[in-house]
Amino acid sequence: MNNKLQQLAKYSSFQHLEVEGWLLEMAIAIIICLDNAQKQHNIHGHVCEIGVHHGRLFILLDLLTREGENALAIDVFDDQHLNYDQSGKGDREIFLNNINTYVKNQANLHIIQGDSSTLNGEQIREFAGGKIRLFSIDGSHTKEMTYHDLMTASQAIESGGIIIIDDYFNEAWPGVSEGTNMFFSQSPAPEVVPFAIGGNKVFLSHPSRSDIYRQWLFDHLVVDKTKIWLSKKSTFLLGHEVFAINYEYTTKYELLRVSQRILKSLTKKIKR
């Protein structure tokens, strides 16, 4: 196992919990599974995230990059007057420290500090060095910004690229579902469709690939059974068939997560 695969294994297993932010284990499992599907079907491109915060998901995307692929991070960081809905407060210095700790390499890292509403798909491709194969949207959670970021991502992705929408079903941020629904109600219809739901994410791709990705998740998505119980199913979202899962953490893993949170809190108090 090479260094990068070792780093990915450690980060996806437990190190992601050391980075402040929001990323469920199920989302990690789905993203890694879909990355494998892209490799199997020879889909290349860069990775990008709008709204990286301290990098909890972005680090995973960066660790999934292959030779010649770049990782583009977009966040307002310290320009908090541009954080219109206060959906997160990213810190550039903490983000870069986390990249150095868990990726250990900034050679392929590109950063845009600013408001994503000023960007379009063509600019994203220019900054990244080409089209995107994994594009996470987790920036401003308003209806208007979600709609705009979806437009940008749909213009920026490679054929067979995947868009990952955060918080569509989160009742604290209804603007995400409103903006997504507005995106899919436009005419002509968007060139992407939803194909999976899981880990507080909705996954989109081009119709020519959606069936392939959906079936791949049925056939290849696995989780650590000591941590998570799950069952897979088909359902529909916005008129399209999607892969979905029911899952719960095991009691043993829930206790471990609680103990880790307590330990982290005590460590912070000791440092103060």
Side-chain angles (χ1 to χ4, degrees):
M1 184 182 288
N2 65 36
N3 263 355
K4 198 165 187 182
L5 286 176
Q6 290 176 341
Q7 288 168 253
L8 175 62
K10 288 191 292 185
Y11 188 77
S12 60
S13 178
F14 62 90
Q15 286 182 335
H16 65 278
L17 297 171
E18 300 168 3
V19 179
E20 183 183 343
W22 307 269
L23 178 62
L24 300 177
E25 281 82 355
M26 184 53 67
I28 293 174
I30 292 173
I31 291 168
I32 291 175
C33 186
L34 291 171
D35 174 72
N36 288 332
Q38 289 186 325
K39 288 177 182 173
Q40 181 69 26
H41 291 87
N42 203 30
I43 296 171
H44 298 277
H46 308 289
V47 303
C48 176
E49 182 171 36
I50 294 174
V52 300
H53 192 61
H54 293 167
R56 187 180 247 192
L57 173 56
F58 184 84
I59 290 167
L60 175 69
L61 297 178
D62 199 345
L63 289 171
L64 291 173
T65 56
R66 312 164 211 163
E67 186 175 353
E69 293 183 346
N70 295 320
L72 177 61
I74 304 167
D75 200 292
V76 300
F77 290 119
D78 297 330
D79 296 329
Q80 285 298 304
H81 62 284
L82 300 174
N83 186 0
Y84 306 120
D85 61 350
Q86 302 298 304
S87 56
K89 188 176 181 180
D91 185 296
R92 184 168 179 147
E93 183 177 351
I94 294 174
F95 170 69
L96 289 173
N97 285 338
N98 286 335
I99 292 289
N100 287 331
T101 300
Y102 301 105
V103 182
K104 306 183 188 304
N105 189 339
Q106 291 187 26
N108 72 333
L109 175 64
H110 299 264
I111 297 175
I112 299 174
Q113 179 166 329
D115 176 4
S116 64
S117 69
T118 65
L119 300 171
N120 58 38
E122 182 178 355
Q123 291 170 311
I124 294 290
R125 296 195 301 269
E126 288 176 0
F127 281 114
K131 293 184 178 181
I132 310 297
R133 67 177 178 89
L134 290 172
F135 198 131
S136 169
I137 297 176
D138 193 12
S140 175
H141 285 37
T142 65
K143 176 178 73 173
E144 294 78 13
M145 284 299 297
T146 300
Y147 174 83
H148 178 274
D149 290 345
L150 273 168
M151 289 292 294
T152 299
S154 65
Q155 296 162 359
I157 59 171
E158 180 61 80
S159 176
I162 294 171
I163 300 172
I164 306 164
I165 307 171
D166 185 63
D167 280 335
Y168 180 89
F169 292 104
N170 187 337
E171 62 269 26
W173 301 107
V176 176
S177 56
E178 286 185 296
T180 303
N181 295 349
M182 184 167 67
F183 174 75
F184 279 103
S185 66
Q186 64 183 312
S187 180
E191 295 182 355
V192 293
V193 298
F195 68 86
I197 302 167
N200 196 37
K201 311 284 186 185
V202 173
F203 298 82
L204 316 175
S205 190
H206 300 107
S208 61
R209 298 287 182 173
S210 61
D211 289 346
I212 294 170
Y213 287 143
R214 189 171 62 251
Q215 190 57 50
W216 184 273
L217 289 169
F218 273 110
D219 295 340
H220 298 281
L221 178 64
V222 294
V223 295
D224 184 343
K225 293 181 179 179
T226 66
K227 294 182 177 180
I228 298 173
W229 166 91
L230 70 82
S231 65
K232 305 172 184 179
K233 61 177 285 188
S234 280
T235 187
F236 287 86
L237 177 65
L238 298 168
H240 299 278
E241 187 176 1
V242 296
F243 167 90
I245 47 178
N246 293 320
Y247 71 97
E248 295 178 2
Y249 294 117
T250 63
T251 302
K252 180 180 178 181
Y253 187 56
E254 284 281 21
L255 291 172
L256 175 63
R257 282 158 55 89
V258 169
S259 64
Q260 286 173 328
R261 285 196 292 269
I262 293 172
L263 180 61
K264 188 175 181 179
S265 176
L266 289 173
T267 302
K268 283 183 177 179
K269 288 179 180 179
I270 291 170
K271 287 181 178 179
R272 289 171 187 167

